[in-house]
Amino acid sequence: RCGFAGETGPRCIIPSEMKKPDVAKPVKVVQYNINTEELYSYLKEFIHMLYFRHLLVNPRDRRVVIIESVLCPSHFRDTLTRVLFKHFEVPSVLFAPSHLMSLLTLGINSAMVLDCGYAESLVLPIYEGIPILSCWGSLPLGGKAIHKELEYQLLEQCTVDTGLAKGQSLPSVMGKSLFCPFLFFYGVRTCFVSDLQRGLKIQAAKFNIDGSAERPSPPPDVDYPLDGEKILHVVGPIRDSVVEILFEQDNEETSVATLILDSLVQCPIDTRKQLAENLVVIGGTAMLPGFLHRLMAEIRYLVEKPKYKEALATKTFRIHTPPAKPNCVAWLGGAIFGALQDILGSRSVSKEYYSQTGRIPDWCCLNNPPLEMMFDVGKAPPPLMKRAFSTEK
């Protein structure tokens, strides 16, 4: 998601990958396990495409606000900063946490923010504008987990009609490895989240040991056209069962709902009531139909269990509705923050500061040495920020 500050939506939403002439599959830009020079070349080519194909602006005239995850490795953000300052010569760069930026769209200072994305679900409490880093929680439950479950069930149960024959198995028509973007698009468009009682019955039937549990009546089957000749027959039980993986408690009794409650228990006791009454859910997986309703039902169901009933006195939970789709809430918060010129100038790192120090301060580091300790006595410290269009002579 890329765009301009002050606008209500991103100019473009594109996958963070590039096509190489000597590589068959597209190369992912966001990689943490490759060497610095290779990552530098990928980022340089990808950001060049953003500036000169999609945004059509001169990078030297625009400040940059990057919305990042709190789990982003320092190696990646340092390499990205070096590309922006050394190659594109941007005036300033600001790294801001996505959970904190989401609150700017609502005008509140405190909330429990859950980012349910593709690779993982990450929860982080924000109190009076300060992230409580000691209380964050994460689980590998998101779009990727749904993707794998959906692919497995499609290969096992679904059939395809073609112009030559009907009822053919899916592997025989499309191969054993399905096209990933198609699968994720299909899951978002046709799957849905059941309510609590129906979901508990589906889970009981899935893990049926004694054979007594029965699955509730499935939703209708769906015929999904793949192209002009192929039609995919999707059986009804797949549509509501694949999403249950987000709410099934594993051996450690963890799920997306327990992620919020466990983080709330770790927070200081005087902050829990305000955080519980201000829940914010962002991320593409949260766009599934029925997800927010099921999440609230799960929280109210679990909070009555002994594990949380004694630790949490509050029983009131409310979810905010941000003024954007869940997958664009963090971007909109960054666009709002980027439009605040005076505040952005005091929080950003300028090109002059980076050229003298060679580093970018970590936003969550509270023990950064003062600027006068980084330089010789009598030498003027570098400016943290200078306006891109300054009127000073």
Side-chain angles (χ1 to χ4, degrees):
R1 287 168 284 277
C2 186
F4 296 102
E7 296 186 350
T8 57
R11 289 292 182 96
C12 61
I13 301 178
I14 59 176
S16 55
E17 57 187 23
M18 301 179 304
K19 293 183 178 179
K20 293 287 187 178
D22 54 342
V23 181
K25 294 183 178 180
V27 179
K28 293 183 178 180
V29 177
V30 183
Q31 298 187 44
Y32 303 142
N33 56 350
I34 61 176
N35 61 71
T36 304
E37 295 305 322
E38 189 176 3
L39 178 61
Y40 184 91
S41 64
Y42 289 163
L43 289 173
K44 182 174 65 174
E45 184 176 346
F46 181 73
I47 296 175
H48 183 276
M49 179 184 65
L50 290 180
Y51 272 121
F52 301 107
R53 182 182 299 178
H54 297 283
L55 298 180
L56 302 177
V57 295
N58 186 353
R60 298 182 180 181
D61 297 336
R62 298 281 180 168
R63 301 176 181 178
V64 178
V65 179
I66 299 174
I67 308 302
E68 66 169 352
S69 170
V70 293
L71 302 182
C72 181
S74 299
H75 163 69
F76 182 83
R77 68 200 304 267
D78 290 343
T79 306
L80 178 58
T81 305
R82 187 158 62 94
V83 171
L84 292 172
F85 278 131
K86 299 296 185 181
H87 185 77
F88 293 98
E89 299 182 356
V90 299
S92 69
V93 173
L94 169 68
F95 284 91
S98 59
H99 293 71
L100 181 59
M101 291 296 101
S102 301
L103 301 191
L104 294 181
T105 64
L106 297 166
I108 57 178
N109 295 328
S110 303
M112 180 72 69
V113 185
L114 172 66
D115 185 358
C116 197
Y118 181 73
E120 61 191 2
S121 293
L122 175 64
V123 65
L124 179 66
I126 310 290
Y127 190 76
E128 295 299 332
I130 305 297
I132 309 178
L133 295 175
S134 60
C135 303
W136 71 276
S138 178
L139 285 175
L141 297 176
K144 189 174 182 178
I146 298 175
H147 182 169
K148 290 183 178 180
E149 182 70 15
L150 181 62
E151 182 176 7
Y152 172 76
Q153 294 200 26
L154 284 177
L155 291 172
E156 289 290 328
Q157 303 181 35
C158 295
T159 59
V160 177
D161 290 349
T162 62
L164 301 177
K166 294 185 177 181
Q168 300 185 65
S169 64
L170 194 58
S172 63
V173 177
M174 300 188 64
K176 294 184 178 180
S177 180
L178 298 183
F179 189 52
C180 296
F182 156 73
L183 264 182
F184 191 61
F185 173 83
Y186 165 79
V188 171
R189 292 291 180 179
T190 63
C191 294
F192 63 92
V193 185
S194 303
D195 58 26
L196 178 62
Q197 299 303 324
R198 180 183 175 87
L200 294 177
K201 292 180 181 179
I202 293 175
Q203 295 177 23
K206 180 179 179 180
F207 301 104
N208 191 8
I209 300 177
D210 54 1
S212 59
E214 294 184 1
R215 193 194 190 284
S217 58
D221 297 349
V222 173
D223 291 340
Y224 193 87
L226 302 180
D227 53 28
E229 298 180 352
K230 302 173 184 175
I231 297 179
L232 175 65
H233 295 286
V234 182
V235 294
I238 292 181
R239 299 178 58 199
D240 60 353
S241 62
V242 294
V243 190
E244 291 299 319
I245 194 172
L246 301 178
F247 303 100
E248 295 172 357
Q249 295 190 19
D250 55 12
N251 295 332
E252 298 180 355
E253 297 184 351
T254 57
S255 66
V256 174
T258 62
L259 197 62
I260 295 178
L261 295 177
D262 291 339
S263 177
L264 196 61
V265 170
Q266 297 176 24
C267 292
I269 192 171
D270 58 335
T271 66
R272 295 176 185 173
K273 183 176 184 297
Q274 187 173 359
L275 293 175
E277 294 177 354
N278 294 275
L279 301 179
V280 179
V281 182
I282 63 176
T285 306
M287 298 174 66
L288 286 167
F291 179 85
L292 295 181
H293 176 78
R294 175 65 179 277
L295 181 64
M296 284 298 296
E298 288 277 348
I299 291 176
R300 290 168 179 161
Y301 171 73
L302 292 172
V303 80
E304 297 297 334
K305 291 191 173 183
K307 179 180 178 181
Y308 301 107
K309 191 173 184 179
E310 300 176 357
L312 296 175
T314 179
K315 299 296 185 292
T316 304
F317 295 88
R318 298 188 180 94
I319 294 183
H320 286 273
T321 304
K325 293 182 178 180
N327 63 336
C328 293
V329 174
W331 183 94
L332 180 60
I336 294 173
F337 193 84
L340 306 175
Q341 295 294 326
D342 294 335
I343 298 179
L344 180 64
S346 62
R347 297 296 183 92
S348 300
V349 175
S350 66
K351 183 172 63 175
E352 293 83 359
Y353 176 86
Y354 183 80
S355 62
Q356 294 187 34
T357 62
R359 60 184 291 270
I360 183 168
D362 195 346
W363 63 269
C364 64
C365 185
L366 301 179
N367 58 353
N368 279 331
L371 292 178
E372 57 267 17
M373 295 180 61
M374 298 183 184
F375 306 95
D376 299 334
V377 179
K379 183 178 179 180
L384 277 179
M385 178 58 208
K386 182 180 290 185
R387 290 184 178 273
F389 304 99
S390 178
T391 58
E392 299 177 0
K393 295 183 180 179

